[in-house]
Amino acid sequence: MTPADSARLLASMNAGRLVILCGAGLSMAPPSSLPSAWKVAGMCFDEYQLTIDPLIDPALRDDLEALAEHFVDLNTLKPVFIEHLVPWQEFERPPNRGHAAVADFLITKTVVAGLSSNYDKLIERCAWDYGADFRGSLDGVQATVASHKHAPLLKFHGCSHIDRGSTVWAPLNCTI
């Protein structure tokens, strides 16, 4: 980061107009080392192909969104894909320094809000470890309720902690 970038970042923080946007890359760093979306898609696809449908279209293997849409079309997104195929144990790993930094910024209201496509609970886990009464949110109402305690964390792909059944496909439920 250049000195000019640092100055602009600090000016945005001081002006109260900085928003954090984070995605899977945040959770892929050690020690979390969570799998990427294409890796999760592959794991789900392989399990489904092995145990349920050996004729599933191979083009779906590395595309989590297309794979989720396939299960929506079959009306089995929640009972088969989310509850049976998603390897939830892969998301139970320790948070990393990036999660800690985001949690710190949200708790101290150094940022206006955090927007995350991650459905893991690693940012929240860091906030809880700090002793904060912290809640992520899935919509604008939940974000507003928590905003008096900390800057809101809006999880637009869902949250494994708040509503596991709506993860991956949360945009159907998301209202901001």
Side-chain angles (χ1 to χ4, degrees):
M1 183 179 297
T2 68
D5 291 337
S6 295
R8 289 179 50 214
L9 182 62
L10 288 171
S12 293
M13 291 167 72
N14 288 328
R17 62 175 200 251
L18 184 64
V19 174
I20 293 175
L21 176 62
C22 56
L26 178 67
S27 298
M28 291 172 68
S32 307
S33 303
L34 266 56
S36 64
W38 69 267
K39 177 93 170 157
V40 171
M43 294 164 76
C44 293
F45 179 92
D46 292 347
E47 177 70 15
Y48 185 73
Q49 185 180 47
L50 180 68
T51 61
I52 299 173
D53 182 6
L55 301 177
I56 186 171
D57 181 359
L60 299 174
R61 187 175 190 286
D62 297 325
D63 187 339
L64 188 59
E65 183 177 351
L67 192 58
E69 287 176 9
H70 172 77
F71 287 98
V72 167
D73 292 345
L74 295 175
N75 200 27
T76 60
L77 180 73
K78 289 181 184 182
V80 176
F81 186 69
I82 292 175
E83 295 300 333
H84 178 68
L85 298 175
V86 173
W88 292 108
Q89 70 282 1
E90 293 291 324
F91 298 94
E92 295 299 329
R93 306 247 179 105
N96 63 43
R97 294 184 330 178
H99 297 114
V102 173
D104 186 42
F105 285 148
L106 294 168
I107 291 168
T108 60
K109 293 187 175 184
T110 305
V111 296
V112 175
L115 304 172
S116 177
S117 65
N118 294 355
Y119 43 85
D120 62 61
K121 57 185 176 226
L122 298 179
I123 294 170
E124 293 94 328
R125 190 185 287 169
C126 282
W128 302 329
D129 287 348
Y130 289 148
D133 180 15
F134 189 90
R135 289 185 275 174
S137 53
L138 297 177
D139 60 34
V141 173
Q142 290 176 356
T144 301
V145 168
S147 67
H148 71 285
K149 295 181 181 182
H150 56 78
L153 173 63
L154 182 64
K155 301 179 82 172
F156 55 88
H157 271 306
C159 178
S160 65
H161 179 69
I162 299 171
D163 183 3
R164 181 181 280 191
S166 295
T167 56
V168 182
W169 207 254
L172 295 175
N173 303 322
C174 189
T175 54
I176 300 174

